[in-house]
Amino acid sequence: DAGVIQSPRHEVTEMGQEVTLRCKPISGHDYLFWYRQTMMRGLELLIYFNNNVPIDDSGMPEDRFSAKMPNASFSTLKIQPSEPRDSAVYFCASSLGGVSYNEQFFGPGTRLTVL
Amino acid sequence: GENVEQHPSTLSVQEGDSAVIKCTYSDSASNYFPWYKQELGKRPQLIIDIRSNVGEKKDQRIAVTLNKTAKHFSLHITETQPEDSAVYFCAAWNTGFQKLVFGTGTRLLVSP
């Protein structure tokens, strides 16, 4: 398996522009997570899905952020409009759920720079 | 909600020494405690985990201990090597909130 795939790996954009980050989870995994990592705030959970349904979006910082999972193999995280404080590394992770919690596998991340 | 505290934030040791990283959690409903290693510019990767029905788990040079009463768990690395240098994150899976809460990370530096 190729693991969790994210694109793009790097994104540089100007303030006010729309940014879309993409994620393909590991085939068969039914949980998908979006994290943001910064030096100041560490690793923060933004939102997660179970069977394509958003379960908890309490970590989404504000209305400028939105996430979708139209099918089991694809998810997007959109920022519109982007701001310099959104600069961070965004990780997508997936896991196989069930009665017992299981390991989350992280993607390589997208490094976002908003100028 | 769950809160996970991790100490120390940085740890410097000499090659061959042992390193210990400690975490505490707040919610007794947490029952799964993974540790992730993140090398510079890379993704976090699971190195060891422990469930609440176990007090200790070992995998070669790394071990994790869990004290449910005190709500703390620790990562132990013995015979450290330069390639152990990385940021280590502890986490707690809360069954009530159904989410994994991460600690703030420990930057470990192993000097040759």
Side-chain angles (χ1 to χ4, degrees):
Chain A
D1 197 320
V4 176
I5 298 172
Q6 290 187 247
S7 64
R9 295 292 308 277
H10 302 273
E11 177 80 32
V12 180
T13 190
E14 293 189 347
M15 183 174 63
Q17 296 298 306
E18 178 180 297
V19 175
T20 299
L21 311 182
R22 297 173 176 79
C23 175
K24 176 179 169 56
I26 293 173
S27 177
H29 282 189
D30 54 351
Y31 281 82
L32 183 139
F33 307 83
W34 282 101
Y35 290 91
R36 178 173 67 177
Q37 186 174 38
T38 61
M39 288 295 293
M40 292 296 295
R41 301 177 67 89
L43 201 57
E44 302 175 275
L45 176 65
L46 300 178
I47 185 172
Y48 79 91
F49 297 81
N50 178 219
N51 291 321
N52 313 337
V53 176
I55 302 300
D56 184 345
D57 65 355
S58 60
M60 296 287 261
E62 48 199 274
D63 292 345
R64 297 184 297 107
F65 285 69
S66 63
K68 293 181 180 180
M69 192 166 185
N71 57 62
S73 59
F74 184 65
S75 177
T76 60
L77 178 67
K78 186 176 293 186
I79 308 172
Q80 166 63 18
S82 58
E83 296 182 4
R85 59 192 169 121
D86 301 331
S87 298
V89 179
Y90 291 82
F91 287 102
C92 174
S94 71
S95 70
L96 184 62
V99 175
S100 297
Y101 177 72
N102 293 296
E103 176 184 357
Q104 287 187 18
F105 292 84
F106 283 76
T110 295
R111 182 173 295 277
L112 174 64
T113 302
V114 183
L115 304 175
Chain B
E2 175 65 279
N3 182 46
V4 177
E5 294 190 357
Q6 182 172 349
H7 301 281
S9 58
T10 58
L11 180 59
S12 295
V13 300
Q14 293 289 321
E15 183 177 1
D17 289 348
S18 294
V20 180
I21 303 170
K22 299 182 179 181
C23 289
T24 60
Y25 61 100
S26 59
D27 194 334
S28 57
S30 293
N31 64 355
Y32 173 73
F33 307 92
W35 286 87
Y36 283 81
K37 175 183 180 182
Q38 187 177 26
E39 297 177 353
L40 189 62
K42 302 287 184 64
R43 74 192 78 184
Q45 291 191 294
L46 182 74
I47 55 172
I48 195 168
D49 56 15
I50 191 167
R51 299 186 187 274
S52 59
N53 58 347
V54 176
E56 183 174 359
K57 184 176 179 181
K58 190 173 183 179
D59 183 3
Q60 299 182 334
R61 294 187 300 107
I62 60 174
V64 58
T65 58
L66 171 65
N67 182 327
K68 287 190 295 182
T69 304
K71 297 195 187 71
H72 65 70
F73 55 114
S74 301
L75 178 71
H76 305 253
I77 306 174
T78 58
E79 301 173 24
T80 54
Q81 301 169 2
E83 51 264 40
D84 295 329
S85 296
V87 178
Y88 292 80
F89 292 94
C90 64
W93 172 259
N94 188 280
T95 55
F97 293 99
Q98 289 286 294
K99 63 172 65 175
L100 192 63
V101 179
F102 282 85
T104 49
T106 296
R107 184 173 301 277
L108 174 65
L109 177 62
V110 181
S111 303

